[in-house]
Amino acid sequence: MAMVLLSTVSYAQNEDRRVSIEPYAGLTISNMDGNAIKGNKSWKTGWTAGAEVEIPLSNYYSITTGADYSLIGTNIKMYEDKYMKTKVKLNDSYINIPVQLKMYFRSIPDLAFHMGADVGFLVSAKAHGKGTSIKTMDIGNGQSSLFLWEQYTVRDDEDVSSKFRNIIFSIPVGLSYEWKNVELNATYRFEVRKAISYYEYPSSMMAYQDAITARNHAIHITLGYKFKL
Protein backbone atom coordinates (compact mmCIF):
# COMPACT_ATOMS: atom_id res chain seq x y z
CA MET A 1 0.00 0.00 0.00
CA ALA A 2 2.87 2.40 0.81
CA MET A 3 4.40 1.85 -2.65
CA VAL A 4 1.07 2.60 -4.33
CA LEU A 5 0.62 5.78 -2.30
CA LEU A 6 4.13 7.06 -3.03
CA SER A 7 3.80 6.45 -6.74
CA THR A 8 0.42 8.16 -6.74
CA VAL A 9 1.74 11.28 -5.06
CA SER A 10 4.56 11.57 -7.61
CA TYR A 11 2.38 12.19 -10.65
CA ALA A 12 -1.19 13.06 -9.67
CA GLN A 13 -2.71 16.54 -9.45
CA ASN A 14 -4.17 17.94 -6.24
CA GLU A 15 -6.21 20.89 -7.41
CA ASP A 16 -9.68 20.07 -6.05
CA ARG A 17 -9.14 18.06 -2.88
CA ARG A 18 -8.24 19.77 0.39
CA VAL A 19 -7.68 18.67 3.96
CA SER A 20 -11.07 18.44 5.69
CA ILE A 21 -12.61 17.68 9.07
CA GLU A 22 -15.95 15.89 9.05
CA PRO A 23 -18.17 15.36 12.10
CA TYR A 24 -20.79 12.68 11.44
CA ALA A 25 -23.53 10.62 13.04
CA GLY A 26 -25.80 7.79 12.01
CA LEU A 27 -27.05 4.32 12.77
CA THR A 28 -25.53 0.86 13.06
CA ILE A 29 -27.09 -2.42 11.93
CA SER A 30 -25.36 -5.30 13.68
CA ASN A 31 -25.44 -8.98 14.55
CA MET A 32 -23.13 -11.50 16.23
CA ASP A 33 -22.27 -15.11 15.52
CA GLY A 34 -20.34 -17.77 17.40
CA ASN A 35 -20.83 -20.45 20.03
CA ALA A 36 -20.74 -17.86 22.85
CA ILE A 37 -24.19 -16.62 21.79
CA LYS A 38 -26.99 -19.06 22.60
CA GLY A 39 -30.43 -18.80 21.02
CA ASN A 40 -31.73 -17.42 17.73
CA LYS A 41 -29.79 -14.30 16.78
CA SER A 42 -31.13 -11.43 14.68
CA TRP A 43 -29.97 -8.00 13.51
CA LYS A 44 -30.44 -4.98 15.74
CA THR A 45 -30.03 -1.24 15.30
CA GLY A 46 -27.81 1.09 17.30
CA TRP A 47 -26.12 4.41 16.70
CA THR A 48 -22.72 5.90 16.04
CA ALA A 49 -21.11 9.36 16.09
CA GLY A 50 -17.61 10.67 15.53
CA ALA A 51 -15.31 12.80 13.42
CA GLU A 52 -12.92 12.11 10.55
CA VAL A 53 -9.91 13.90 9.08
CA GLU A 54 -9.27 13.47 5.36
CA ILE A 55 -5.80 14.20 3.98
CA PRO A 56 -5.59 14.22 0.15
CA LEU A 57 -2.67 12.45 -1.47
CA SER A 58 -3.85 13.32 -4.98
CA ASN A 59 -7.01 14.26 -6.80
CA TYR A 60 -8.22 10.65 -6.51
CA TYR A 61 -6.60 9.28 -3.34
CA SER A 62 -6.82 10.29 0.32
CA ILE A 63 -5.90 9.00 3.74
CA THR A 64 -8.61 9.25 6.41
CA THR A 65 -8.46 8.78 10.16
CA GLY A 66 -10.49 9.80 13.18
CA ALA A 67 -12.50 8.32 16.03
CA ASP A 68 -16.09 7.35 16.70
CA TYR A 69 -18.35 5.83 19.33
CA SER A 70 -20.43 2.88 18.13
CA LEU A 71 -23.20 0.92 19.82
CA ILE A 72 -23.56 -2.54 18.23
CA GLY A 73 -24.51 -6.09 19.33
CA THR A 74 -27.37 -8.46 18.56
CA ASN A 75 -30.90 -9.50 19.45
CA ILE A 76 -31.32 -13.01 20.86
CA LYS A 77 -34.59 -14.94 21.07
CA MET A 78 -34.08 -17.46 23.87
CA TYR A 79 -37.51 -19.11 24.03
CA GLU A 80 -40.99 -18.56 22.64
CA ASP A 81 -44.35 -20.35 22.69
CA LYS A 82 -47.99 -19.27 22.88
CA TYR A 83 -47.74 -18.55 26.62
CA MET A 84 -44.22 -17.27 27.19
CA LYS A 85 -41.33 -15.67 25.33
CA THR A 86 -37.87 -14.65 26.46
CA LYS A 87 -35.48 -12.42 24.55
CA VAL A 88 -32.19 -10.61 25.19
CA LYS A 89 -30.74 -7.48 23.63
CA LEU A 90 -26.94 -7.57 23.79
CA ASN A 91 -25.36 -4.11 23.52
CA ASP A 92 -21.59 -3.76 23.22
CA SER A 93 -20.09 -0.34 22.59
CA TYR A 94 -16.64 0.73 21.39
CA ILE A 95 -14.42 3.70 20.72
CA ASN A 96 -13.06 3.00 17.22
CA ILE A 97 -10.00 4.54 15.56
CA PRO A 98 -9.88 3.71 11.83
CA VAL A 99 -7.16 4.50 9.27
CA GLN A 100 -8.25 4.08 5.66
CA LEU A 101 -7.21 4.64 2.07
CA LYS A 102 -9.96 6.45 0.17
CA MET A 103 -10.11 6.12 -3.62
CA TYR A 104 -12.37 8.36 -5.73
CA PHE A 105 -13.84 7.06 -8.99
CA ARG A 106 -12.61 8.93 -12.05
CA SER A 107 -15.96 8.57 -13.84
CA ILE A 108 -17.94 9.70 -10.73
CA PRO A 109 -15.60 12.04 -8.80
CA ASP A 110 -17.92 12.40 -5.78
CA LEU A 111 -18.19 8.62 -5.25
CA ALA A 112 -15.38 6.92 -3.33
CA PHE A 113 -14.37 3.45 -2.14
CA HIS A 114 -12.50 3.15 1.15
CA MET A 115 -10.74 0.35 2.99
CA GLY A 116 -8.25 0.09 5.83
CA ALA A 117 -7.73 -1.03 9.41
CA ASP A 118 -9.57 -0.24 12.63
CA VAL A 119 -8.85 -0.74 16.33
CA GLY A 120 -11.75 -0.73 18.78
CA PHE A 121 -11.62 -0.22 22.55
CA LEU A 122 -14.46 -1.73 24.57
CA VAL A 123 -16.53 0.80 26.53
CA SER A 124 -19.25 -1.50 27.88
CA ALA A 125 -21.16 -4.72 27.20
CA LYS A 126 -24.60 -5.25 28.69
CA ALA A 127 -27.32 -7.87 28.26
CA HIS A 128 -30.88 -6.59 28.64
CA GLY A 129 -33.28 -9.51 29.21
CA LYS A 130 -37.06 -9.39 28.86
CA GLY A 131 -39.46 -12.23 29.67
CA THR A 132 -43.19 -12.09 28.96
CA SER A 133 -45.68 -14.65 30.26
CA ILE A 134 -49.20 -14.92 31.70
CA LYS A 135 -50.47 -15.48 35.24
CA THR A 136 -53.81 -15.72 37.03
CA MET A 137 -55.29 -12.30 37.70
CA ASP A 138 -55.21 -10.91 41.23
CA ILE A 139 -58.82 -10.12 42.28
CA GLY A 140 -57.90 -8.70 45.69
CA ASN A 141 -57.61 -9.88 49.26
CA GLY A 142 -54.72 -12.10 48.28
CA GLN A 143 -56.88 -14.20 45.95
CA SER A 144 -56.42 -15.09 42.29
CA SER A 145 -59.06 -15.90 39.72
CA LEU A 146 -59.08 -19.35 38.15
CA PHE A 147 -60.67 -17.99 34.98
CA LEU A 148 -59.08 -14.59 34.43
CA TRP A 149 -55.49 -14.31 33.24
CA GLU A 150 -53.18 -11.35 32.68
CA GLN A 151 -49.84 -10.78 30.99
CA TYR A 152 -46.78 -9.80 32.99
CA THR A 153 -43.22 -8.83 32.07
CA VAL A 154 -39.94 -9.43 33.90
CA ARG A 155 -36.80 -7.46 33.02
CA ASP A 156 -33.20 -8.17 33.97
CA ASP A 157 -30.01 -6.28 33.08
CA GLU A 158 -26.53 -7.78 33.39
CA ASP A 159 -23.04 -6.39 32.82
CA VAL A 160 -21.18 -8.92 30.65
CA SER A 161 -18.03 -6.88 29.96
CA SER A 162 -15.86 -9.56 31.56
CA LYS A 163 -16.73 -11.91 28.67
CA PHE A 164 -15.53 -9.43 26.04
CA ARG A 165 -12.03 -8.53 24.92
CA ASN A 166 -10.94 -4.98 25.72
CA ILE A 167 -9.39 -4.46 22.26
CA ILE A 168 -10.58 -5.71 18.88
CA PHE A 169 -9.31 -5.25 15.32
CA SER A 170 -11.45 -4.86 12.20
CA ILE A 171 -11.18 -4.23 8.46
CA PRO A 172 -13.58 -1.46 7.40
CA VAL A 173 -14.79 -1.52 3.77
CA GLY A 174 -17.32 0.86 2.28
CA LEU A 175 -18.56 3.50 -0.13
CA SER A 176 -19.21 7.21 0.32
CA TYR A 177 -20.88 9.88 -1.78
CA GLU A 178 -20.33 13.62 -1.35
CA TRP A 179 -22.71 16.40 -2.40
CA LYS A 180 -21.99 20.04 -1.51
CA ASN A 181 -19.79 19.01 1.45
CA VAL A 182 -22.46 16.63 2.78
CA GLU A 183 -21.24 13.03 2.76
CA LEU A 184 -23.29 9.85 2.97
CA ASN A 185 -21.20 6.88 4.06
CA ALA A 186 -21.91 3.14 4.32
CA THR A 187 -19.23 0.93 5.89
CA TYR A 188 -19.06 -2.72 6.88
CA ARG A 189 -16.53 -3.58 9.57
CA PHE A 190 -15.25 -7.16 9.41
CA GLU A 191 -13.97 -8.11 12.85
CA VAL A 192 -10.58 -9.85 12.58
CA ARG A 193 -9.93 -10.24 16.31
CA LYS A 194 -13.15 -11.63 17.76
CA ALA A 195 -14.98 -9.64 20.43
CA ILE A 196 -15.39 -12.74 22.62
CA SER A 197 -12.77 -15.47 23.00
CA TYR A 198 -12.11 -17.44 26.18
CA TYR A 199 -11.88 -21.00 27.53
CA GLU A 200 -14.49 -22.33 29.92
CA TYR A 201 -11.96 -24.37 31.91
CA PRO A 202 -8.31 -23.68 32.79
CA SER A 203 -5.94 -25.42 30.37
CA SER A 204 -4.49 -27.48 33.22
CA MET A 205 -7.90 -29.09 33.74
CA MET A 206 -8.75 -29.70 30.10
CA ALA A 207 -5.97 -29.35 27.52
CA TYR A 208 -8.13 -30.03 24.47
CA GLN A 209 -11.15 -27.77 24.47
CA ASP A 210 -12.72 -25.44 21.95
CA ALA A 211 -12.62 -21.72 22.62
CA ILE A 212 -15.91 -19.95 23.33
CA THR A 213 -16.06 -17.16 20.76
CA ALA A 214 -18.31 -14.62 19.07
CA ARG A 215 -17.72 -12.01 16.36
CA ASN A 216 -19.50 -8.73 15.66
CA HIS A 217 -20.84 -7.97 12.20
CA ALA A 218 -21.61 -4.25 11.95
CA ILE A 219 -22.81 -1.96 9.17
CA HIS A 220 -22.42 1.79 9.78
CA ILE A 221 -24.55 4.26 7.83
CA THR A 222 -23.62 7.88 8.58
CA LEU A 223 -24.25 11.41 7.38
CA GLY A 224 -21.58 14.07 7.87
CA TYR A 225 -20.53 17.55 6.82
CA LYS A 226 -17.02 18.38 5.60
CA PHE A 227 -15.30 21.53 6.79
CA LYS A 228 -12.50 22.08 4.29
CA LEU A 229 -9.34 23.74 5.59
Side-chain angles (χ1 to χ4, degrees):
M1 182 180 292
M3 292 177 65
V4 170
L5 295 179
L6 289 173
S7 62
T8 302
V9 173
S10 64
Y11 71 83
Q13 298 294 321
N14 190 15
E15 298 175 353
D16 300 329
R17 307 290 176 189
R18 296 198 312 228
V19 175
S20 63
I21 299 175
E22 178 190 350
Y24 60 83
L27 62 86
T28 61
I29 305 171
S30 61
N31 202 346
M32 296 186 74
D33 64 12
N35 59 7
I37 310 297
K38 308 298 182 183
N40 297 321
K41 301 169 286 293
S42 62
W43 294 82
K44 67 174 284 292
T45 57
W47 62 276
T48 182
E52 178 182 86
V53 177
E54 182 173 345
I55 304 171
L57 301 174
S58 77
N59 205 34
Y60 296 102
Y61 295 88
S62 297
I63 286 288
T64 67
T65 188
D68 65 63
Y69 173 89
S70 298
L71 177 65
I72 56 178
T74 187
N75 287 325
I76 309 168
K77 186 183 293 184
M78 304 297 294
Y79 179 82
E80 183 174 6
D81 62 18
K82 60 187 296 185
Y83 301 110
M84 181 175 66
K85 58 182 179 181
T86 305
K87 58 184 180 181
V88 175
K89 178 178 287 187
L90 181 58
N91 289 333
D92 48 310
S93 57
Y94 296 87
I95 297 294
N96 298 287
I97 302 176
V99 177
Q100 300 183 79
L101 174 64
K102 192 171 186 179
M103 296 161 281
Y104 289 88
F105 291 84
R106 293 177 183 269
S107 57
I108 311 176
D110 293 325
L111 181 66
F113 169 81
H114 54 85
M115 182 177 181
D118 178 280
V119 57
F121 301 92
L122 181 68
V123 176
S124 67
K126 296 181 179 180
H128 304 281
K130 179 181 178 181
T132 304
S133 186
I134 59 173
K135 65 178 180 178
T136 55
M137 184 177 292
D138 185 0
I139 58 177
N141 297 322
Q143 297 182 353
S144 298
S145 170
L146 294 177
F147 307 102
L148 299 177
W149 296 74
E150 62 182 351
Q151 188 178 76
Y152 75 100
T153 300
V154 176
R155 300 179 185 273
D156 182 37
D157 297 331
E158 182 182 358
D159 190 323
V160 293
S161 300
S162 61
K163 302 296 185 182
F164 282 71
R165 282 172 160 162
N166 291 323
I167 300 176
I168 59 172
F169 301 104
S170 305
I171 298 175
V173 180
L175 290 171
S176 65
Y177 185 81
E178 182 182 343
W179 182 75
K180 293 185 178 180
N181 292 354
V182 176
E183 185 173 77
L184 177 64
N185 191 311
T187 301
Y188 169 71
R189 286 176 174 167
F190 175 75
E191 196 169 273
V192 178
R193 188 172 193 250
K194 295 180 180 180
I196 300 176
S197 183
Y198 65 92
Y199 292 97
E200 188 172 4
Y201 305 102
S203 57
S204 58
M205 294 175 59
M206 188 177 294
Y208 302 101
Q209 57 177 317
D210 294 329
I212 297 174
T213 64
R215 173 186 281 121
N216 287 299
H217 297 277
I219 300 170
H220 298 242
I221 301 173
T222 62
L223 194 65
Y225 186 87
K226 282 187 175 182
F227 296 93
K228 296 186 178 180
L229 304 180

